[in-house]
């Protein structure tokens, strides 16, 4: 007997509503005896501790309590449910985060304030990050290069890991679910007087899944990964502190290209982080930080006789020392400044050379409250570089309280994304199709070599155009918002944003080959923008009930495409055999893989006397286009679109004997899948979880 999908959702909503209203009377009585908890504190936005509610920048904070209550496993699980964020798969199988309509390559991902690397195609796969030892996740929207430099053009996501409590404490977690997924983790901590140490181990295994049984390949092949993380914190005295951490990640996955070509994909990543802090007096403090990380990826394919068909390597290293100082001249003002140096290398298959980036930088920020109602932040950073033009990144933000209930805030910042190694040094020729892709810096040497070898029919773009440096992509980001507290338990937040991106790096044909294929390279050309509105609301009708919702309206467009539609230069045909017709200005939809509407809705409920909590969460994404399907190179209203969809998740957790918690849940309750276009949604997932604290 089959059950209608909508009936399943109605059942869970009815069940959840019964729990909610059955406890409403008792909850209201308890409300008068409860004390209001302290404000959430965020660090990422200003690199100093700030109350989230007083921040002049658009920011989100995801607490450890929420992460645990929804029984999430990887970072992509939790980020997908936040307003203005959506995880999108790339062609390599990883998942990047799209923020305010900006590509995943424009969002900087940090762990404890230091960056992750490994963007083989511009996207950093956030599904490789476990959430088992996360204290909180901080998300800052808008250009943040004034503090963080390159890759923070769109925003910053900082994952802050857990610190141990006093004495010895341990946490064991185990979850198993559909598609052969198993997640096991252990967190051990010890803290006493001057020292604390914590160690975390996580193992994750997936049997993969197949959304399309008509072909020979799985959508996601089986894989397993492990994460090891250790942190040591030692206070020499009341003024001097030493922090040391190390993290190691490894993953193995089957790599299958066809029935006859099979192999393996391996990832190994490590990073080490050292920070020595010292407080000189009430006004002055400083610290020295050293960070190093390496990301290595290797994949190979073998023929049926186990001979090697192909093999690729990716080996990236980043070393970064930094010194930072903080000066607090008064209770109302804070200066923070720093200087550092990025040293980065990459050894990769299909590169014309082994490149090396060196980039010294310096930054300064002033945070002041001239009066009780006004907060102003002024900041700037200068990045020098040996391979691209230096960048100056200013930013300003302010927040003003009109009353106890209403505050307005706004920020304007400059962000940039440096050309990556691939865009500068790629030297790749497809052995089957025959095309070639050259990095910008490789064109002047490699193209003449190909011409001497008789591979080139004619050169389209003169070599003289590659004598200058490729410019970093850059953006001016504007955010204007209102915080409105209608009652102490009902809050609204509205944010209007605009990101103007210039010098977008794109590909173009630079030469024709005698085999009929082309040679491609990179260049600065497009100007694009993303703009829209974000609305968040939070309602706590009782101390054990939290209801939240969010909505984003997004317009993401290419200015050159807008001009082409406006000037009547774009045509389309409904079928290959039909005649073409001229498109109007309003027919231009926008950039690929962007939805006009996205929304989320969450209910969290706790029954204290039963030691039980439950939640139901939903997300919605409206239609979007992935390809031009009518041959005019633009996404217009006559193209084929991926239909809008919603995902609903349900989780319930029960605590036994104080230290034991059992969790059950269903992710993707309605069982939504798209076999052709959406590879990162596997279908309905049933799971069970056990947590033990001691």
């Amino acid at each position: 007997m089959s059950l209608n999908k909508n009936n399943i959702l109605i059942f869970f909503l009815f069940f959840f509503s019964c729990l909610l209203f059955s406890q409403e009377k008792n909850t209201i009585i308890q409300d008068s005896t409860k004390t209001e908890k302290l404000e959430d504190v965020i660090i990422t936005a200003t690199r100093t501790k700030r109350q989230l509610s007083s921040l002049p920048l658009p920011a989100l904070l995801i607490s450890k309590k929420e992460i645990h209550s929804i029984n999430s496993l990887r970072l992509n699980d939790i980020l997908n449910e936040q307003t203005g964020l959506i995880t999108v798969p790339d062609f390599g199988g990883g998942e990047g985060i799209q923020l305010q309509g900006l590509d995943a390559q424009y969002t900087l991902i940090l762990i404890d304030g230091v960056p992750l690397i490994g963007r083989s195609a511009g996207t950093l796969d956030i599904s490789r990050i476990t959430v088992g030892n996360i204290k909180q996740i901080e998300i800052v929207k808008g250009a943040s290069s004034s503090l963080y430099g390159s890759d923070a053009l769109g925003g910053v996501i900082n994952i802050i890991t857990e610190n141990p409590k006093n004495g010895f404490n341990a946490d064991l977690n185990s979850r198993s679910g559909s598609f052969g997924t198993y997640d096991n983790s252990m967190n051990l901590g010890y803290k006493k007087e001057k020292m604390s140490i914590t160690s975390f181990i996580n193992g994750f295994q997936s049997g993969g899944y197949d959304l399309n049984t008509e072909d020979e390949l799985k959508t996601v092949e089986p894989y397993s990964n492990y994460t090891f993380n250790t942190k040591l914190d030692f206070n020499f005295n009341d003024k001097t502190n030493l922090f040391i951490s190390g993290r190691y990640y490894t993953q193995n996955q089957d790599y299958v290209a066809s029935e006859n070509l099979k192999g393996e994909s391996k990832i190994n990543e490590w990073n080490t982080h050292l920070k020595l802090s010292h407080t000189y007096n009430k006004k002055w403090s400083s610290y020295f930080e050293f960070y190093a990380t390496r990301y290595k990826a290797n994949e190979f394919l073998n023929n049926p006789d186990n001979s090697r068909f192909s093999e690729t390597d990716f080996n990236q290293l980043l070393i970064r020392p930094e010194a930072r100082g903080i000066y607090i001249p008064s209770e109302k003002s804070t200066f923070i400044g720093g200087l550092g140096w990025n040293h980065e290398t990459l050894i990769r298959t299909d590169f014309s050379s082994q490149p090396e980036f060196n980039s010294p930088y310096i930054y300064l920020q002033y945070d002041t409250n001239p009066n009780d109602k006004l907060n102003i932040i002024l900041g700037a950073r200068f990045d020098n570089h040996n391979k691209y033009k230096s960048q100056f990144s200013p930013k300003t933000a302010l927040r003003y309280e009109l009353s106890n209930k209403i505050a307005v805030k706004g920020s304007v910042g400059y962000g940039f994304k440096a050309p990556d190694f691939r865009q500068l040094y790629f030297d790749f020729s497809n052995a089957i199709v025959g095309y070639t892709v050259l990095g910008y810096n490789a064109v002047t040497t490699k193209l003449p070599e190909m011409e001497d070898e008789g591979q080139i029919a004619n050169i389209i773009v003169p070599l003289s155009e590659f004598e200058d440096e490729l410019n970093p992509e850059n953006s001016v980001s504007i955010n204007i918002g209102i915080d409105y507290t209608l009652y102490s338990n009902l809050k609204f937040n509205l944010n209007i944003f605009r990101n103007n991106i210039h010098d977008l790096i794109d590909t173009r044909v630079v030469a024709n080959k005698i085999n009929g294929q082309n040679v491609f390279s990179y260049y600065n050309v497009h100007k694009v923008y993303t703009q829209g509105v974000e609305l968040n609301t939070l309602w706590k009708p009782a101390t054990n009930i939290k209801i939240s919702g969010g909505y984003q309206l997004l317009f993401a467009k290419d200015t050159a495409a807008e001009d082409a539609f406006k000037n009547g230069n774009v045509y389309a045909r409904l079928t290959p055999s039909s005649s073409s017709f001229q498109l109007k200005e309003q027919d231009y939809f926008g950039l690929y893989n962007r939805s006009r509407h996205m929304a989320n809705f969450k209910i969290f409920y706790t029954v204290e006397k039963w030691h039980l909590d439950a939640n139901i969460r939903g997300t919605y994404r409206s239609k979007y286009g992935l390809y031009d399907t009518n041959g005019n190179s633009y996404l217009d209203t006559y193209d084929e679109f991926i239909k809008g969809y919603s995902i609903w998740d349900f989780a319930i957790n029960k605590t036994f004997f104080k230290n034991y918690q059992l969790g059950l849940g269903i992710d993707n309750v309605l069982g939504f899948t798209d076999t052709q276009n959406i590879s990162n949604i596997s279908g309905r997932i049933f799971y069970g979880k056990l947590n033990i604290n001691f």
Side-chain angles (χ1 to χ4, degrees), residues 53-106:
S53 61
S54 69
L55 200 66
L57 304 167
L60 297 173
L61 189 150
I62 307 169
S63 67
K64 176 182 177 180
K65 182 179 180 181
E66 179 175 340
I67 295 171
H68 282 199
S69 63
I70 71 173
N71 300 325
S72 58
L73 293 177
R74 319 303 288 184
L75 183 61
N76 53 304
D77 296 337
I78 190 74
L79 293 184
N80 245 336
E81 299 180 357
Q82 312 307 314
T83 304
L85 279 72
I86 184 74
T87 59
V88 292
D90 64 11
F91 63 85
E95 286 189 61
I97 187 72
Q98 189 185 102
L99 188 154
Q100 290 187 341
L102 295 173
D103 279 336
Q105 61 183 321
Y106 302 128

Side-chain angles (χ1 to χ4, degrees), residues 105-119:
Q105 61 183 321
Y106 302 128
T107 300
L108 180 65
I109 308 295
L110 310 172
I111 293 184
D112 289 326
V114 289
L116 291 177
I117 61 174
R119 299 174 183 263

Side-chain angles (χ1 to χ4, degrees), residues 196-445:
S196 69
I197 186 170
T198 180
S199 295
F200 172 76
I201 301 173
N202 174 263
F204 180 78
Q205 178 181 328
S206 172
Y209 54 88
D210 191 8
L211 298 177
N212 186 3
T213 57
E214 296 181 359
D215 58 20
E216 301 174 351
L217 307 179
K218 280 190 171 184
T219 304
V220 173
E221 297 292 341
Y223 66 94
S224 61
N225 56 53
Y226 299 90
T227 302
F228 306 90
N229 188 203
T230 296
K231 297 198 306 182
L232 171 68
D233 198 273
F234 184 78
N235 293 313
F236 293 98
N237 50 52
D238 294 339
K239 295 183 177 182
T240 306
N241 172 267
L242 176 66
F243 169 86
I244 302 175
S245 73
R247 178 178 172 272
Y248 178 74
Y249 171 85
T250 182
Q251 174 174 293
N252 287 353
Q253 183 172 23
D254 293 345
Y255 180 28
V256 181
S258 68
E259 184 178 0
N260 296 321
L261 297 175
K262 299 179 180 180
E264 188 176 24
S265 174
K266 297 181 180 180
I267 296 173
N268 290 288
E269 175 194 12
W270 61 259
N271 57 56
T272 182
H273 184 195
L274 181 148
K275 183 166 64 175
L276 182 64
S277 308
H278 183 73
T279 301
Y280 302 96
N281 50 50
K282 292 182 179 180
K283 294 186 176 183
W284 284 97
S285 63
S286 67
Y287 70 73
F288 172 79
E289 180 179 71
F290 179 83
Y291 176 67
T293 181
R294 183 183 292 276
Y295 177 91
K296 298 178 67 175
N298 168 269
E299 60 183 26
F300 65 87
L301 287 171
N302 285 343
N303 294 303
D305 61 358
N306 281 331
S307 61
R308 190 74 82 206
F309 174 79
S310 66
E311 184 171 10
T312 60
D313 292 288
F314 184 99
N315 187 343
Q316 185 178 5
L317 172 69
L318 170 66
I319 298 174
R320 190 185 76 181
E322 179 178 303
R324 187 181 310 167
I326 300 174
Y327 175 57
I328 307 176
S330 68
E331 294 181 356
K332 295 185 176 182
S333 299
T334 300
F335 288 90
I336 180 170
L339 54 89
W341 175 60
N342 287 317
H343 172 74
E344 191 173 2
T345 61
L346 178 61
I347 301 173
R348 182 177 180 177
T349 306
D350 300 318
F351 264 30
S352 61
S353 62
Q354 295 184 5
E356 178 179 301
F357 284 175
N358 289 292
S359 176
Y361 60 87
I362 185 170
Y363 61 88
L364 179 66
Q365 178 181 270
Y366 177 53
D367 188 347
T368 182
N369 293 278
N371 54 55
D372 295 337
K373 295 181 178 295
L374 179 63
N375 176 231
I376 301 174
I377 295 177
L378 302 172
R381 171 169 165 147
F382 179 78
D383 289 78
N384 192 15
H385 203 279
N386 66 322
K387 295 297 181 182
Y388 61 82
K389 292 182 179 179
S390 300
Q391 297 292 300
F392 177 71
S393 309
K395 186 169 186 174
T396 182
L398 62 87
R399 182 179 188 272
Y400 185 77
E401 292 186 6
L402 298 175
S403 68
N404 293 333
K405 293 186 176 182
I406 302 177
V408 294
K409 58 186 180 182
S411 63
V412 179
Y414 175 89
F416 74 96
K417 168 69 172 65
D420 60 32
F421 288 111
R422 170 179 51 93
Q423 294 164 336
L424 295 178
Y425 300 102
F426 212 32
D427 181 5
F428 171 76
S429 294
N430 186 285
I432 299 175
V433 180
Y435 66 86
T436 296
V437 182
L438 299 177
Y440 183 90
N441 289 2
V443 172
T444 55
T445 55

